[in-house]
């Protein structure tokens, strides 16, 4: 028997299992998937929890609901990969040998990377919304908050879903307006990037968005530490930003099992061929989703587009054919802009987000780089698509390579 | 390079004042770009950072983060800010002839 092992049963691992399981000959192949726990979280839904739009139950389902019948599932922490030996050591003491390995262990937040972040005020006045626990604690805080200085800070790039901090601000703007206390909340977005919108077309079209919504911007701010006593964040060049409520997007890193395997970069992301998704070091290892070091966005949509490419290339590899499928960096994101509207962006490694109609050129129903109600429905529908189609490895009505048709330069 | 040659050279910059074409870059140009940023002398430590950034950009297609810079160039964050006051990531990128760091939108 030949063995294929998938590490991580999040978005990308689950999709790959569902694509490979039905086609690999059962007499020849044994496919195993490993995850540390049994609950699948719909992470894009975390954004809505602080505002009471989604509850915990809206974003979680048992992982097993999404596995094909007869799949070999192991629930255990992964200790490390020994790529020279072609096997994986699990915390439960077992060793899993493999012929081919797919790494899909994702990325997690690490607030402890910033001095003072996890001291006194953590989950009292400082919250994240990248974990279900953080999002729920923030929801509880917001319910009782009467206003003050709201600071949203990105510690460093890259982060999962890079537009999520902006979406948080826009939804918070709606939320406080509806509660009648918007004028009592001072909004401040603090980012290490040179601006909220850094791509030429997006800056041109959305450039005044923060001003219109009365959100202050501090750019090129690289956080050095949190002063809990004075409720202030301080940058390496000693710029101080005071807060009453700090919503942080902490440093994102790949899982520690990557570090223990000696296979990651300084943030535990695995060096990956940008186009074929094969490991740059090992011929029989592939990486997908947030675990890669690709310059594409760490997003579920990108992981989904990668899955088509990876499926083709894994099939080629096991049949000793050259890897011909090429990932182009395609990502597609619905951005909540508040008050029941949304913006849609579609881009790849080489093409920045452009205006136009999507997915049908000239027709839509979605509008690119434009604020519409339909785009908001797209975001809401995405959760249903995610549970019912995407995770099961079924095709969505969107090409895995980015299309220029329908876009205006 | 003589003064005459320097004057004769035309360099195209993008809207952020970074080199449009990173192949235009050479060491004398780095000195000129540093001068514009009020850095009047490039020390060996400056060069360590600049060379690291160029290498990283060539292999990864992206300039490194501050964390990566300090971890892998062997220069700690405080020194980095002393070398390139007000934003090492951006200033060093400019002097190294690389584009400004960008987000996805
Ligand atoms: C707040 C927020 C909003 C987002 N919004 C969007 C959006 O609107 N659109 C979009 O496209 N994307 C969005 N994303 C990003 C999206 O959720 C991720 O890009 C996607 O889930 C990546 O899939 P993955 O399989 O690579 O990682 P994950 O889905 O995170 O899966 C990784 C899996 O590996 C397992 N694992 C890791 N280490 C170990 C170990 N040592 N042992 C055992 N198991 C392990 C984990 O338990 C996990 O199940 C958002 C993310 C967040 C946090």
């Amino acid at each position: 028997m030949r063995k294929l092992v998938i590490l991580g049963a999040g978005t990308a691992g689950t999709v790959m299992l569902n694509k490979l399981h039905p086609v690999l000959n059962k007499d020849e192949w044994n496919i195993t998937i490993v995850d540390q726990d049994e609950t699948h979280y719909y992470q894009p839904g975390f954004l809505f929890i602080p505002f009471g739009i989604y509850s915990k139950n809206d974003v979680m389902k048992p992982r097993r609901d999404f596995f094909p019948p007869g799949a070999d599932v192991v629930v255990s922490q992964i200790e490390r990969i020994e790529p020279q030996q072609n096997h994986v050591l699990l915390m439960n003491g077992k060793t899993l040998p493999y012929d081919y390995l797919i790494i899909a262990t994702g990325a997690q937040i690490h607030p402890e990377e910033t001095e003072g972040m996890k001291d006194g005020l953590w989950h009292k006045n400082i919250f994240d919304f990248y974990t279900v626990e953080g999002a729920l604690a923030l929801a509880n805080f917001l319910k009782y908050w009467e206003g003050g200085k709201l600071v949203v800070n990105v510690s460093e790039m890259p982060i999962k879903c890079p537009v999520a901090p902006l979406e948080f601000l826009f939804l918070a703007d709606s939320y406080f307006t509806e509660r009648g206390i918007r004028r009592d909340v001072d909004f401040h977005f603090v980012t290490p990037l040179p601006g909220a919108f850094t791509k030429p077309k997006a800056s041109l079209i959305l450039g005044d968005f923060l001003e219109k919504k009365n959100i202050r911007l501090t750019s090129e701010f690289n956080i050095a530490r949190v002063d809990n006593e004075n409720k202030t964040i301080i940058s390496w060049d000693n710029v101080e930003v005071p807060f009453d409520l700090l919503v942080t997007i902490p440093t994102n890193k790949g899982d520690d099992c990557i570090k223990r395997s000696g296979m990651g970069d300084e943030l535990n992301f695995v060096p990956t061929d940008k186009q074929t998704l094969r490991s740059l070091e090992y011929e029989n290892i592939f990486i997908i989703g947030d675990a890669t070091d690709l310059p594409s966005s760490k997003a579920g949509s990108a992981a989904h587009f990668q899955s088509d490419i990876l499926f083709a290339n894994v099939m080629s590899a096991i049949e000793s054919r050259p890897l011909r499928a090429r990932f182009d960096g395609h990502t597609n994101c619905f951005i909540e802009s508040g008050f029941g509207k949304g913006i849609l962006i579609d881009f790849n490694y080489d093409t920045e987000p452009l205006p136009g109609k999507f997915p049908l050129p000239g027709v839509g129903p979605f509008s690119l780089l434009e604020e519409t109600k339909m785009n908001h429905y797209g975001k809401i529908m995405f959760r249903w698509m995610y549970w019912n189609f995407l995770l099961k490895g079924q095709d969505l009505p969107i090409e895995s390579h980015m299309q220029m048709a329908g876009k205006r330069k | 390079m003589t003064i005459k040659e320097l004057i004769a050279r035309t360099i195209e910059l993008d809207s952020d004042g970074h080199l449009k074409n990173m192949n235009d870059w050479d060491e004398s140009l780095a000195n000129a770009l540093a001068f514009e940023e009020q850095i009047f002398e490039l020390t060996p430590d400056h060069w360590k950072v600049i060379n690291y950034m160029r290498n990283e950009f060539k292999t990864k297609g992206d300039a490194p983060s501050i964390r990566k810079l300090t971890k892998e160039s062997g220069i700690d964050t405080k020194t980095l800010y002393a070398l390139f006051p007000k934003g090492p990531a951006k200033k060093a990128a400019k002097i190294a002839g690389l584009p400004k760091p960008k987000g996805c939108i």
Side-chain angles (χ1 to χ4, degrees):
Chain A
M1 281 296 252
R2 297 168 83 194
K3 294 188 167 59
L4 189 146
V5 172
I6 302 175
L7 299 181
T11 312
T14 305
V15 176
M16 287 315 296
L17 177 68
N18 280 313
K19 283 184 183 284
L20 290 163
H21 192 266
V23 295
L24 288 184
N25 185 337
K26 307 270 170 308
D27 302 327
E28 247 179 84
W29 282 95
N30 188 319
I31 312 182
T32 304
I33 193 162
V34 186
D35 206 290
Q36 55 204 345
D37 57 46
E38 300 186 78
T39 304
H40 190 116
Y41 285 100
Y42 173 62
Q43 298 175 46
F46 294 173
L47 171 69
F48 297 97
I49 291 179
F51 309 106
I53 302 168
Y54 284 172
S55 70
K56 192 174 177 184
N57 287 333
D58 291 322
V59 299
M60 54 189 281
K61 285 186 193 284
R63 290 194 201 280
R64 69 180 120 75
D65 288 3
F66 304 98
F67 296 146
D72 180 13
V73 180
V74 176
V75 180
S76 167
Q77 274 253 2
I78 298 150
E79 210 282 314
R80 66 174 187 275
I81 306 158
E82 294 189 323
Q84 259 93 21
Q85 267 78 48
N86 293 316
H87 66 212
V88 180
L89 305 181
L90 302 180
M91 290 285 192
N92 70 7
K94 288 215 179 84
T95 301
L96 289 178
Y98 61 81
D99 295 283
Y100 288 93
L101 182 69
I102 296 175
I103 301 177
T105 42
Q108 292 88 30
I109 58 160
H110 288 269
E112 75 284 357
E113 291 282 341
T114 303
E115 190 187 325
M117 186 72 84
K118 281 207 91 173
D119 294 352
L121 298 178
W122 182 251
H123 284 190
K124 291 200 183 75
N125 296 80
I126 304 178
F127 299 89
D128 74 277
F129 64 95
Y130 271 48
T131 59
V132 74
E133 297 80 16
L136 287 167
L138 181 52
N140 199 44
F141 178 92
L142 287 179
K143 246 195 279 182
Y144 301 99
W145 200 42
E146 294 298 331
K149 296 187 200 79
L150 163 65
V151 172
V152 175
N153 173 237
V154 178
S155 291
E156 63 180 308
M157 299 300 289
I159 58 169
K160 300 198 251 196
C161 194
V163 292
L166 286 173
E167 296 185 272
F168 181 88
L169 284 160
F170 300 155
L171 287 177
D173 179 45
S174 265
Y175 172 83
F176 290 123
T177 304
E178 275 157 33
R179 276 189 46 197
I181 60 166
R182 175 61 181 89
R183 66 176 183 290
D184 303 321
V185 184
D186 174 26
F187 276 53
H188 197 166
F189 181 46
V190 182
T191 169
L193 287 171
F197 304 102
T198 53
K199 292 282 161 100
K201 267 276 155 23
S203 323
L204 200 68
I205 298 173
L206 304 172
D208 61 350
F209 223 72
L210 294 196
E211 238 168 82
K212 269 196 333 218
K213 292 188 183 280
N214 202 7
I215 299 170
R216 199 141 47 106
L217 172 74
T218 296
S219 57
E220 289 166 30
F221 180 101
N222 285 285
I223 188 168
R225 61 195 171 88
V226 180
D227 178 344
N228 282 263
E229 217 161 284
N230 297 307
K231 288 196 189 153
T232 306
I233 53 173
I234 301 159
S235 71
W236 289 104
D237 49 344
N238 293 315
V239 176
E240 301 194 1
V241 175
F243 65 84
D244 295 307
L245 165 59
L246 173 63
V247 175
T248 171
I249 293 82
T251 301
N252 282 213
K253 288 168 74 173
D255 192 79
D256 273 340
C257 71
I258 301 300
K259 187 179 185 174
R260 293 193 287 270
S261 313
M263 290 176 70
D265 64 11
E266 82 294 344
L267 288 169
N268 303 340
F269 294 125
V270 188
T272 307
D273 185 286
K274 272 166 77 169
Q275 296 177 323
T276 63
L277 307 178
R278 177 144 69 183
S279 152
L280 290 179
E281 275 182 279
Y282 304 97
E283 283 232 309
N284 58 344
I285 298 183
F286 293 84
I287 310 99
I288 181 168
D290 295 350
T292 68
D293 75 336
L294 300 185
S296 52
S297 281
K298 296 200 182 297
S301 64
H304 166 73
F305 298 133
Q306 287 166 11
S307 74
D308 286 334
I309 308 300
L310 185 57
F311 172 72
N313 282 342
V314 167
M315 293 309 287
S316 296
I318 64 185
E319 290 165 3
S320 307
R321 291 181 283 125
L323 311 187
R324 292 213 195 281
R326 299 269 182 272
F327 180 55
D328 66 352
H330 189 194
T331 311
N332 176 285
C333 300
F334 287 103
I335 306 170
E336 280 294 292
S337 56
F339 301 98
K341 290 189 182 173
I343 300 165
L344 176 64
I345 55 172
D346 189 66
F347 56 99
N348 69 12
Y349 288 142
D350 305 317
T351 309
E352 62 171 312
L354 294 171
K357 291 285 178 196
F358 186 88
L360 299 175
V363 178
F366 303 116
S367 310
L368 295 163
L369 268 189
E370 197 184 315
E371 210 191 357
T372 67
K373 281 205 161 36
M374 188 49 98
N375 288 342
H376 162 71
Y377 296 132
K379 178 99 177 183
I380 298 306
M381 232 159 58
F382 188 68
R383 180 172 63 128
W384 183 80
M385 300 264 279
Y386 183 90
W387 293 129
N388 292 293
F389 292 96
L390 192 148
L391 279 183
K392 293 177 180 165
Q394 292 175 16
D395 288 337
L396 300 183
I398 304 177
E399 301 281 333
S400 50
H401 288 117
M402 197 203 75
Q403 307 295 307
M404 270 317 284
K407 293 194 167 75
R408 299 192 305 272
K409 281 216 173 157
Chain B
M1 182 188 267
T2 66
I3 303 272
K4 209 169 155 192
E5 277 173 302
L6 191 67
I7 291 167
R9 221 163 138 188
T10 316
I11 302 293
E12 232 187 316
L13 302 178
D14 65 15
S15 54
D16 309 309
H18 289 239
L19 286 197
K20 206 159 195 177
N21 180 359
M22 71 179 276
N23 294 327
D24 280 347
W25 187 89
D26 61 27
E27 296 196 356
S28 63
L29 190 57
N31 278 307
L33 290 167
F35 212 83
E36 285 203 345
E37 295 296 318
Q38 318 279 318
I39 296 170
F40 302 114
E41 193 197 342
L42 291 177
T43 63
D45 273 354
H46 284 106
W47 282 112
K48 231 193 218 171
V49 175
I50 292 167
N51 289 331
Y52 175 75
M53 285 193 89
R54 283 187 66 84
N55 248 334
E56 199 46 30
F57 191 88
K58 273 188 205 148
T59 51
K60 288 273 169 73
D62 224 342
S65 67
I66 301 271
R67 161 195 301 274
K68 190 156 185 172
L69 258 172
T70 52
K71 218 164 172 180
E72 296 187 6
S73 70
I75 287 170
D76 66 68
T77 319
K78 280 247 145 66
T79 319
L80 201 59
Y81 273 90
L83 290 170
F84 301 95
K86 292 248 126 226
K90 192 177 136 212
K91 274 208 171 154
K94 198 170 194 176
I95 297 167
L98 309 176
K100 194 156 100 171
K102 286 199 168 71
C104 71
I105 178 171

